[in-house]
Amino acid sequence: MIASSRTLPSFRVAPYESGRIVAGGSALVSDATLARSRPFVLRYYERRREVLTATPRDADPARLYEQLALAALPDFAHWVAVVDPSSRNAAFSRCTGDHEHSFDVCRHEWAGGLDLDTAMDNVVTSGFSLAWNDDGQGPRGMVSLLNVEDSPVGVVVLARDQNAAAWSEDDLGAIHDVVTALGVDLERLRLRYESRLALRASQRVASQLHQVISASLAVGTLSDENSIAQNLARSARSVFDVDRASVTLGDETERVIALAQRGRSPRLLDVSTAESSGLPAPRPAAGESWVQEDWLCAPVLDSRRSSRGVVAAHRAPGAPFSDEDRELAMLLGQLAATSLEALDLNRTIHDSEIRLRILVDAAPVGIVESNGDGEVRWWNQSASRLLRWPTFTPEALPDATWPETVRPQLSELWRELLAGGLRDAQEFAATVGGRERILAVSAAVLPSGGSEPSVLTLLDDITDQRELREEVRHAHRMELRGQVASSVAHDFNNLMTLILGYTELLSRSVAGNQKAEELVHDIQSTSSRAATLTAQLQSIGRTSEPAPVRLDVGAAMSANAEVIERIMGSKNTVEWVLADSTPPVTVDADLFEQMILNLSINARDAMPDGGTLRVVTSIEEVVSADERAPSLAAGTYVTLSISDTGAGMDEATLARCFEPLFTTKGPFKGTGLGLASARRLVQNSAGVIDCTSQLGVGTTFTIWLPAQTIDEPAPVVAPDSTPTPVTTRAQMSGTILLCEDDPGLRRLALQVLQRNGFVVLETASAQDALEASASFDGDIDLLLSDVVLGGMTGPELAARLQREQPELLVVMMSGTASPDAIDELREGSAIFMAKPFRPSELVDQVMGLLSRRP
């Protein structure tokens, strides 16, 4: 409805080369004035109703433009045009007359020479309508902006013949109203069309989603890639209503291709055929859908965004895919990926179940499933071995009954568990298979799902573990004793060095006094026995490295036969059963002879009333673990057996016979170190020593040492660096830097070296030695140092001093370290001295090393 009065819009005024723009100011228009333009407005409103009430097949604005022209021509205007201002092209143009004029012809005829392009730019820029005339009598043309939802979509141009009456301001307002209504009508027409399209699209998408959901339900029950590919190919062809659809799953090494065609059942294609090669292939880097030669393709991406295939649908040329189609294609790709991952998960679960069954059956612990009354339902292989049951089968169930010594122990546990209680693992002793065993047991209630609950009982035979634990504890005790022995040996060697040193010095003072010389000789003999004891302590504490050589056991026994027979005395008989020849073994020769003598002495002490010592050597081949020495590896061994017919040992004594410091000889009769050092020697030689004994029958020690082949290189034995003692020495001078943290030993070395003409710089630590070397004004010829010092070690001190004085000679001494302590020093510049030593040995070593100077 047109209002009875209104306010006219403002019109912009601007000069042009031909004609001028007239502007109507805002003014209140009366009903009489409005009546002159009302027919034009009414005609448009009447005509547009036909367009808006009809069902449009497409959104064609020209139908409304035509109704505008029919309402305006020829009574209100003679030319109507709708122009795209950006392209200057007319979307619609019509004028009066019997002939059709083009837009350019009409513009020239009706615009009266107006620069219409500039006028349209001004209208779009300013948003105001422009009116013009060329005779000064009033406007005969108007340019109005056509807006749809406040956005300019075009410019409407209306013009009258120059001979026609000019438009009034009321007419200009009517044009403005009609153009505004045209914009609203265009929007309504577009909305109706888009609503219809949206409805059709939603119906189509709903149908497609229904098919996708059906496909997801179908593939969720499939158990292999072939079925999944065929089913999804059928669904893709149906969802997109296309002639062909394909699904490719897998990688280049193993691929499944399915093709669905209209009118045919989906089928699998051979990857080597031409038909399959023409289908879209997966793109590893694709993350979104793509179009390839009329194929819409969507990647099959797993949860890690890795490509596992492609879903593709083909349409005839000219039938493009919409955005909704792309989304559905991606949905099918996700469905394929989900199906594959579900298939992988099912396979993983199946494989895990198989692994779990195998694991449970192969578990080292016996596992038994039973009800609350102990009725057995299932068991694993370990339970079969432990409880002496057959391998589980349904037919073997009647044969699986709990041993009477085990079931009472478990019944209380089952009752408490089924009553909701908690029970920790427990241990008990029971007779199983005729042997007394220690069993560890724990149990748990299995979920029943409403049926009678089951109890899972775990049984473990820990008898061997207990025994092994005791052995480990015993080994720890032995290790601790060895560490104590090592510490004692270190200090004892220092004391023995002092005793031997001062004894030698004393022997020179009492020369000619027979009684005094005998006392000194007794002191030296006792010191030698103490040195032997120290060597045994070092062997136990692992502080002394053995010097292995290739040794003929038979020859060594023959060489010591006379000594052994003297040790055994006249009351005992020695029987020798030596093999004609045996392969050599690798062992420390001195320690080996010491071991033989210790074993002979032990045998003699075990036969105070006389008896027989039997010594046997032989060659044995060990194929597998020997019952007497299970730790032996397969190979050839030289065996040495030393047996006596003495009192023997009980089981408790036999179990401890190799312990360090353990002895049954009583106070002051044994050290308890002989057998411990023997075992250490044999173990260091990759052998085994075993002892068997019976009270009243005797004891046998058997030693296995690996035989060496001829091709195996013999160990390199370091030459004895101790020079032969000389009674007369040439005088030699030099400066010696002495570093020893033991005050007594340092004082002895100082006295001995000074008596032999040397200048001695006395220090108690490595730091003192460095300071003394730096402050001494002269050359230091030799460093005499202990290996073990507080803070910096002796070899580290020597290496640092040699970097400053390359010609410095070094004597390293130690009662616990090995000779390789000097390996990092300059070659030929150092020697090693083992404690204890005599003063004469120290002087000989120092002079011998200094004599090498150029």
Side-chain angles (χ1 to χ4, degrees), residues 77 583 658 725:
F658 290 107

Side-chain angles (χ1 to χ4, degrees), residues 365-444:
V365 178
I367 303 175
V368 181
E369 180 184 354
S370 63
N371 62 12
D373 296 329
E375 182 180 346
V376 178
R377 296 174 176 173
W378 177 88
W379 63 91
N380 67 347
Q381 287 292 335
S382 294
S384 298
R385 292 190 294 268
L386 178 61
L387 301 173
R388 305 299 190 269
W389 291 348
T391 301
F392 172 77
T393 60
E395 294 76 17
L397 281 173
D399 298 329
T401 57
W402 293 101
E404 292 301 326
T405 57
V406 174
R407 180 163 184 162
Q409 308 276 5
L410 300 176
S411 297
E412 182 181 355
L413 174 64
W414 295 334
R415 284 195 300 270
E416 292 189 10
L417 283 173
L418 294 174
L422 297 176
R423 287 294 300 270
D424 295 331
Q426 61 183 17
E427 300 175 1
F428 61 85
T431 302
V432 180
R435 296 181 59 190
E436 187 72 19
R437 313 298 293 173
I438 301 175
L439 302 180
V441 59
S442 59

Side-chain angles (χ1 to χ4, degrees), residues 443-565:
V445 178
L446 295 177
S448 60
S451 60
E452 183 183 5
S454 296
V455 177
L456 203 65
T457 304
L458 282 70
L459 294 162
D460 189 15
D461 185 353
I462 62 172
T463 308
D464 295 338
Q465 296 178 18
R466 285 287 185 86
E467 295 176 354
L468 179 60
R469 188 184 308 166
E470 292 301 322
E471 292 180 5
V472 171
R473 289 177 180 173
H474 175 74
H476 286 170
R477 289 195 298 268
M478 296 302 100
E479 185 69 22
L480 179 60
R481 293 179 182 180
Q483 293 174 0
V484 173
S486 173
S487 176
V488 171
H490 177 269
D491 295 337
F492 200 60
N493 271 325
N494 287 341
L495 296 176
M496 291 308 306
T497 302
L498 290 174
I499 294 173
L500 289 174
Y502 286 118
T503 302
E504 183 173 316
L505 296 178
L506 180 62
S507 65
R508 298 175 183 176
S509 302
V510 299
N513 188 335
Q514 183 177 359
K515 291 184 178 181
E517 287 181 346
E518 290 178 355
L519 292 175
V520 171
H521 177 72
D522 291 340
I523 295 174
Q524 290 176 331
S525 299
T526 304
S527 299
S528 299
R529 291 176 57 193
T532 301
L533 179 61
T534 305
Q536 292 176 336
L537 286 172
Q538 287 178 297
S539 174
I540 296 169
R542 303 184 185 184
T543 60
S544 177
E545 292 294 329
V549 296
R550 182 169 288 177
L551 179 72
D552 186 326
V553 174
M557 298 306 298
S558 298
N560 288 275
E562 183 178 354
V563 177
I564 292 174
E565 289 178 352

Side-chain angles (χ1 to χ4, degrees), residues 86 95 107 168 207 246 254 312 391 414 441 445 564 695 770 824:
S86 60
C95 60
R107 177 170 62 177
S168 65
S207 175
S246 68
E254 186 175 357
T391 301
W414 295 334
V441 59
V445 178
I564 292 174
L695 287 174
L770 292 174
E824 300 300 324

Side-chain angles (χ1 to χ4, degrees), residues 636-647:
T636 304
Y637 290 84
V638 176
T639 64
L640 170 63
S641 175
I642 299 178
S643 306
D644 65 65
T645 59

Side-chain angles (χ1 to χ4, degrees), residues 6 19 43 85 146 154 224 226 288 293 346 398 420 466 472 567 596 623 656 710-711 736:
R6 61 177 176 79
R43 282 196 300 271
L146 180 60
D224 60 86
N226 293 345
E288 299 293 338
E293 298 178 354
N346 289 335
R466 285 287 185 86
V472 171
I567 289 174
I596 299 304
V623 179
R656 302 184 59 190
I710 298 177
D711 297 333
I736 298 176

